[in-house]
Amino acid sequence: MALILYIHPLASFCHKVLIALYENAIPFRSETVDFSNPASASALLERWPVGNIPVLHDGAAGRIIPETSIIIEYLQQNYPGPAPLLPSDTEARLQVRLWDRFFDLYVSTPMQKIVTDRIRPSGQNDPHGVASARATLDTAYAMIERQLSGQPWATGETFTMADCSAASALFFAFIVHPFTAGQTNLQTYLDQLLARPSIRRTIGEARPFFEMFPYRDAMPARYLAI
Ligand SMILES: N[C@@H](CCC(=O)N[C@@H](CS)C(=O)NCC(=O)O)C(=O)O
């Protein structure tokens, strides 16, 4: 198999790329990175010294491709499928890139800050950083609520890379920082994302690892039935 995606099945940024692969039925093999295993961790660092996952290895091209948005664009360029996730129209494409960045930077990143603070060694928590992450999520949720008014997906009528980013970000963000009662567009959007086959499949594959999630106790019951 030419494409190998190095992942962890519970990791939200890995979900973003898995969703893109499933949307276009691109054949690939996934390999789980075990950060607690020095051999597995150092093999990842050899491929991408930053040490983040996911990382794609394209054996046919002899290339390593890191960074979720770049991986998805690379897949579209080199392994195009029936569901392009970046539109060809340049203005529409800019909007997709903007909202992809938005979900990564202003939803996923603060969500990760809140989650990882829970597993810091005792006495090394960062209450100021967590409060700031919650404030960022409040701002982001209000902006997404407005953005979704009158359109089903993040940038319009079509499911795109921005929605891949949104799905992985909002699934976990909702657990650690729920939407307010008035944020009905956000709630409908999350429901719609969770009903999509590529996303159901990704979450289904993550479910056996939910016990490892530091906020497992706060997971909505319906997440367990996806
Ligand atoms: N900007 C990166 C973010 C990737 C990222 O933060 N991945 C997390 C997993 S969801 C990770 O590798 N965490 C492990 C670490 O930082 O050591 C991307 O889009 O690929």
Side-chain angles (χ1 to χ4, degrees), residues 31-210:
E31 209 163 283
T32 296
V33 176
D34 178 358
F35 286 102
S36 67
N37 174 334
S40 177
S42 75
L44 173 69
L45 290 174
E46 270 170 36
R47 292 183 189 100
W48 180 232
V50 171
N52 274 343
I53 48 174
V55 172
L56 182 73
H57 178 228
D58 183 349
R63 284 185 67 174
I64 295 285
I65 305 99
E67 289 295 319
T68 51
S69 307
I70 308 302
I71 295 172
I72 292 173
E73 289 215 35
Y74 179 87
L75 290 170
Q76 177 152 323
Q77 277 172 219
N78 296 284
Y79 298 87
L85 296 171
L86 286 115
S88 50
D89 175 78
T90 52
E91 180 51 38
R93 202 173 175 110
L94 262 191
Q95 285 303 309
V96 169
R97 286 195 173 123
L98 169 63
W99 283 93
D100 168 72
R101 298 290 67 238
F102 187 91
F103 284 108
D104 278 11
L105 295 172
Y106 307 118
V107 181
S108 269
T109 301
M111 173 276 288
Q112 284 183 334
K113 172 69 186 170
I114 298 168
V115 170
T116 54
D117 194 73
R118 201 175 239 205
I119 48 173
R120 280 190 169 200
S122 160
Q124 294 189 32
N125 293 95
D126 175 15
H128 179 76
V130 168
S132 166
R134 290 192 183 281
T136 300
L137 283 177
D138 284 336
T139 302
Y141 286 177
M143 290 176 69
I144 300 162
E145 179 71 15
R146 277 199 300 279
Q147 172 71 6
L148 291 169
S149 151
Q151 63 184 39
W153 300 110
T155 61
E157 297 300 318
T158 311
F159 184 93
T160 68
M161 175 169 73
D163 302 295
C164 298
S165 175
S168 53
L170 290 174
F171 177 84
F172 289 107
F174 179 77
I175 302 168
V176 300
H177 195 77
F179 311 148
T180 63
Q183 289 173 329
T184 52
N185 292 339
L186 250 175
Q187 188 59 67
T188 304
Y189 179 53
L190 179 57
D191 292 346
Q192 186 178 239
L193 288 167
L194 297 182
R196 198 163 172 98
S198 61
I199 297 171
R200 292 181 70 81
R201 178 172 175 187
T202 302
I203 301 296
E205 289 168 359
R207 194 181 309 116
F209 301 87
F210 280 177

